[in-house]
Amino acid sequence: MLEIKNLYVKIKNNLIIKGLNLKIKKNEIHVIMGPNGSGKSTLSYIISGKPKYIIDKGKILFNKKLINNLSPYEISKLGIFLSFQYPIEINGITMYIFLKNILKNKYKNKVLFKKIYKVCKKLNINKNNLYRYFNVGFSGGEKKKNEILQMLLLKPKLVILDEIDSGLDIDTLNLIFKNINKYKKKYKCSLIIITHNTNIVKYINPNYVHILYNGKIIKSSNKNIIYNIDKYGYKKIIKNENKKNN
Ligand code: ADP
Ligand code: MG
């Protein structure tokens, strides 16, 4: 479904992603972990077409189509969804108007209301929140739930969750992952889950875990590597991989 080949990405002339390769098939869950500043969020942005992020070299293919130069809107229409590490606030636009706009080609006006209410209920989102400005004054956890609300309504084929789990209370964490797992089961989507949480395997069952370091995936493994990370941190893995390459 997604294939990234030898990708190099620059931000303001700084090389951030340096030769990254990644292949994701339909219905797979890939967890990406790695130290702060490794390029995890940059990777999620570049797949989603964020402006000013320049692809210096390499290819991003989605269902064999080159998406390097597509706009965020075009990429979203292909079925790629990104939940932001830091969801943005939009003053002056209510949640409801925002959702109505992003969903206008997907649902008829008549059913839209019902659909949105139904998903709000699933996520334990207060309906009154729909009439507040988008994310303005919402708590961190509420903002993350608003991201999942958009995901469940847009029905993407590839879901990228950038630290969806940071700062969430245990009940919200359970609720969010219950909904994500249900969605995955029903629609057979693929997931990229960026996280620092070594307890992530309690909530989802990844096919692969990748360690991103210094703009590159230095190791791909099954979920067992997470126990090593929990025990030893990243240092040991980075050292071992460096040794192998020298
Ligand atoms: P991660 O999500 O893995 O913690 P990021 O992808 O956010 O890391 O950042 C990777 C590196 O790119 C960091 O060193 C960060 O400071 C740098 N970076 C991110 N955005 C910009 C920017 N707009 N200008 C310059 N450097 C940036
Ligand atoms: Mg990040």
Side-chain angles (χ1 to χ4, degrees):
M1 173 174 269
L2 183 78
E3 189 168 6
I4 301 179
K5 289 183 187 170
N6 198 27
L7 187 71
Y8 287 76
V9 175
K10 270 185 180 169
I11 312 172
K12 293 182 187 151
N13 250 340
N14 297 306
L15 204 53
I16 309 291
I17 301 289
K18 308 167 187 174
L20 187 140
N21 294 290
L22 183 65
K23 255 189 201 176
I24 296 179
K25 293 194 186 123
K26 191 180 168 184
N27 203 19
E28 281 183 351
I29 301 180
H30 291 240
V31 162
I32 299 184
M33 303 182 82
N36 296 122
S38 293
K40 302 182 298 297
S41 294
T42 304
L43 175 65
S44 72
Y45 283 143
I46 202 78
I47 298 170
S48 318
K50 184 168 169 150
K52 294 186 185 152
Y53 281 53
I54 310 296
I55 296 184
D56 207 40
K57 221 166 105 180
K59 282 182 184 164
I60 307 176
L61 301 160
F62 184 65
N63 290 330
K64 304 213 160 76
K65 181 184 159 83
L66 188 73
I67 61 165
N68 282 28
N69 297 314
L70 298 189
S71 69
Y73 173 67
E74 289 165 321
I75 291 171
S76 158
K77 269 201 352 193
L78 291 176
I80 297 179
F81 175 84
L82 167 64
S83 156
F84 293 124
Q85 179 174 3
Y86 305 110
I88 53 157
E89 300 180 356
I90 311 174
N91 226 322
I93 296 182
T94 64
M95 291 268 304
Y96 187 72
I97 296 294
F98 177 87
L99 291 171
K100 203 173 144 180
N101 269 285
I102 64 169
L103 298 167
K104 65 182 173 213
N105 297 327
K106 257 202 156 65
Y107 304 105
K108 292 208 173 79
N109 237 333
K110 267 190 195 163
V111 294
L112 187 70
F113 214 68
K114 269 194 187 159
K115 290 264 178 205
I116 294 176
Y117 271 31
K118 205 173 134 190
V119 182
C120 278
K121 204 170 170 195
K122 279 187 195 168
L123 292 169
N124 200 14
I125 292 172
N126 189 332
K127 280 180 208 154
N128 296 333
N129 286 357
L130 292 170
Y131 306 101
R132 290 168 62 186
Y133 290 150
F134 189 85
N135 277 340
V136 177
F138 284 61
S139 76
E142 287 174 332
K143 286 180 182 174
K144 293 288 168 105
K145 282 209 275 189
N146 289 344
E147 297 288 281
I148 300 301
L149 171 66
Q150 292 166 60
M151 170 197 139
L152 294 178
L153 287 162
L154 281 167
K155 299 198 167 69
K157 298 185 182 106
L158 172 67
V159 175
I160 308 169
L161 303 173
D162 192 358
E163 296 202 25
I164 190 71
D165 48 356
S166 42
L168 294 188
D169 71 63
I170 186 78
D171 296 334
T172 308
L173 203 55
N174 278 318
L175 180 69
I176 279 187
F177 275 106
K178 187 179 121 192
N179 278 284
I180 292 168
N181 280 318
K182 240 177 157 175
Y183 177 81
K184 152 102 172 20
K185 202 169 168 196
K186 186 162 177 197
Y187 292 98
K188 312 264 180 274
C189 71
S190 309
L191 282 149
I192 298 176
I193 299 179
I194 297 169
T195 185
H196 287 300
N197 185 355
T198 50
N199 281 323
I200 191 75
V201 282
K202 273 193 197 165
Y203 304 99
I204 43 123
N205 187 15
N207 301 91
Y208 297 94
V209 177
H210 308 281
I211 311 299
L212 184 61
Y213 175 66
N214 196 17
K216 244 195 231 176
I217 288 175
I218 58 161
K219 193 171 179 67
S220 298
S221 172
N222 61 21
K223 64 182 174 188
N224 293 332
I225 196 175
I226 297 180
Y227 305 110
N228 278 333
I229 295 168
D230 199 34
K231 213 166 161 190
Y232 304 110
Y234 292 114
K235 273 192 190 146
K236 204 174 153 185
I237 298 169
I238 294 168
K239 215 171 132 186
N240 281 343
E241 292 310 307
N242 276 340
K243 252 192 220 161
K244 272 190 209 167
N245 294 329
N246 289 327

